[in-house]
Amino acid sequence: MSNDHTIAVGVKDSTQSEAALLWAGRRAEKRHAPLAILHVMDDRWLVEPASWRRSLAQSGENLLQAAEARVRQRFHVKSTTELLTGSVAAALGEYARKTSLMVIGSGSPHLGGSMTDRALQIAGASAGPVAVVGTANDEEDRHGIVVGVDGSEHSLRAVAFAAAEADREGQELTVLHAYNAPDPVTDAGLAPAELRQLISEQERIVLSETVAGLSNSYPDLTIKRVSEPHKEPVRALVEAAANARLLVVGSRGRGGFARLLLGSTVHGVLTHLPCPTIVIPPENTPEMD
């Protein structure tokens, strides 16, 4: 497949992968988009004897056929399967160039969050948006789309994606700006009142400029602006998206003082995944090695 509207999903034998498969199938059906079901045969195993490689390839093909059968039982979609070879992150990240969205499972529960190392690698390597899906299957009970912003170019791309998504789905859009402002009590003497006021005004402008023009582009879209000047960004996003249908974040943010919402925050959000989360990459993603 090379259709730009194609939705791709990476599958393996896990509960999280099954949830991602169903989420991707549901989205493909709703969007009338073709679905590419992918499995990557990790090239670390290719040094083994040829008979072992053939066995791995056959297992991968069997997994793909079974996944496609489940999708076709539940959804009316055009689907194909493809067995890829190489590094899982690089293979899926490169394949994302052919798609509108790459969907993956979140990983296994670990230490109170999720073991998302592979998901983070794929999101970091991907040339296109990546949706990370947990095990919950309660989309109909969830409402609204949340997007995290910090004024960076990455977050503006995330807002554009989230606004289009919310308008298409008839969902309220929450635009959340969390930053670390000087606290008037704990930072007394370190940050003069004038500086605190200046920072607050600058961040208010960031939020206002981020949503400027959205109402003109989407006149029927309900937009909720939320500013969290004293809440850690990961916590703010996870709490805001606890009952949301979707969370959208840029792959990294601007950096610097009070610009901590994105970038490293993606790691924290995916580790405590509140709902399906889409990570938006930079506009010009470097070529894969």
Side-chain angles (χ1 to χ4, degrees):
M1 283 185 178
S2 59
N3 189 327
D4 288 343
H5 297 294
T6 296
I7 294 170
V9 56
V11 299
K12 59 180 182 177
D13 186 15
S14 73
T15 303
Q16 293 79 10
S17 177
E18 180 68 13
L21 176 68
L22 297 180
W23 191 88
R26 188 179 303 112
R27 186 181 181 92
E29 181 181 60
K30 186 181 295 185
R31 299 292 176 82
H32 304 288
L35 179 68
I37 305 172
L38 313 172
H39 176 69
V40 182
M41 188 167 66
D42 197 317
D43 58 4
R44 290 178 299 175
W45 302 107
L46 299 186
V47 297
E48 300 296 333
S51 60
W52 179 242
R53 295 199 301 271
R54 286 195 297 270
S55 177
L56 282 176
Q58 187 59 57
S59 295
E61 292 290 359
N62 292 342
L63 186 150
L64 287 169
Q65 292 172 16
E68 185 175 38
R70 293 195 298 276
V71 164
R72 289 183 172 177
Q73 286 176 354
R74 298 190 58 163
F75 308 107
H76 296 290
V77 297
K78 294 181 179 179
S79 61
T80 61
T81 64
E82 188 169 346
L83 182 65
L84 307 177
T85 300
S87 160
V88 175
L92 293 181
E94 178 63 24
Y95 195 96
R97 294 183 184 278
K98 308 175 185 181
T99 73
S100 62
L101 184 68
M102 175 65 69
V103 184
I104 56 174
S106 62
S108 302
H110 179 72
L111 298 179
S114 295
M115 179 65 84
T116 57
D117 288 350
R118 186 58 57 81
L120 287 165
Q121 291 170 11
I122 295 169
S126 179
V130 174
V132 183
V133 179
T135 57
N137 188 25
D138 57 353
E139 181 176 279
E140 296 306 316
D141 297 327
R142 293 176 168 272
H143 303 283
I145 291 174
V146 178
V147 59
V149 302
D150 71 347
S152 68
E153 185 63 30
H154 297 83
S155 73
L156 293 178
R157 285 171 53 79
V159 169
F161 184 100
E165 184 84 9
D167 185 68
R168 187 184 298 113
E169 297 294 320
Q171 296 289 320
E172 179 183 75
L173 176 66
T174 296
V175 181
L176 172 65
H177 180 37
Y179 59 98
N180 295 321
D183 186 274
V185 176
T186 60
D187 294 325
L190 298 177
E194 294 80 3
L195 177 59
R196 294 197 301 270
Q197 183 177 353
L198 176 61
I199 291 173
S200 296
E201 179 62 19
Q202 288 177 334
E203 300 306 334
R204 185 192 65 77
I205 293 173
V206 165
L207 184 56
S208 296
E209 291 183 343
T210 296
V211 301
L214 288 183
S215 295
N216 291 333
S217 300
Y218 305 104
D220 296 326
L221 178 62
T222 300
I223 303 171
K224 179 181 178 182
R225 298 191 295 180
V226 177
S227 178
E228 293 282 8
H230 301 297
K231 186 176 289 187
E232 195 275 327
V234 172
R235 177 187 169 196
L237 284 169
V238 170
E239 290 181 356
N243 297 307
R245 183 166 292 191
L246 185 70
L247 171 62
V248 182
V249 292
S251 60
R252 56 182 181 268
R254 178 177 292 171
F257 182 73
R259 304 295 188 196
L260 303 177
L261 180 60
L262 304 178
S264 61
T265 299
V266 172
H267 185 286
V269 168
L270 296 186
T271 302
H272 299 87
L273 197 71
C275 66
T277 298
I278 295 181
V279 180
I280 306 297
E283 185 171 8
N284 297 309
T285 302
E287 295 289 332
M288 304 295 159
D289 293 331

